[in-house]
Amino acid sequence: MAQTANHGPRLTPSPRALQKALLQSAQQAQKLAQAFGKVVPAEKRKTTAHTEQAAPASTSEH
């Protein structure tokens, strides 16, 4: 008798869940660092295509 595979609980979180967990972790690190008067290096957010179009690059071609 063939049984269907029961994969059980998902072991790998979805990309959205990972992003949420990363954001929460970063916020906790910031709060903890502020409590001890330290600075946590933060990654700068990537610019979107919309903001890149608003400020075109000032490279001149020769």
Side-chain angles (χ1 to χ4, degrees):
M1 185 174 186
Q3 291 182 337
T4 58
N6 183 3
H7 297 289
R10 188 171 180 173
L11 298 178
T12 304
S14 68
R16 188 174 189 173
L18 287 172
Q19 185 66 30
K20 182 179 177 182
L22 180 63
L23 180 60
Q24 288 176 343
S25 177
Q27 290 172 342
Q28 288 175 344
Q30 288 288 350
K31 288 178 184 178
L32 187 60
Q34 287 177 354
F36 287 95
K38 301 292 181 180
V39 177
V40 175
E43 180 178 303
K44 293 181 181 178
R45 294 190 179 263
K46 295 179 181 178
T47 59
T48 61
H50 178 70
T51 57
E52 289 176 359
Q53 290 175 356
S58 61
T59 57
S60 60
E61 296 180 17
H62 292 273

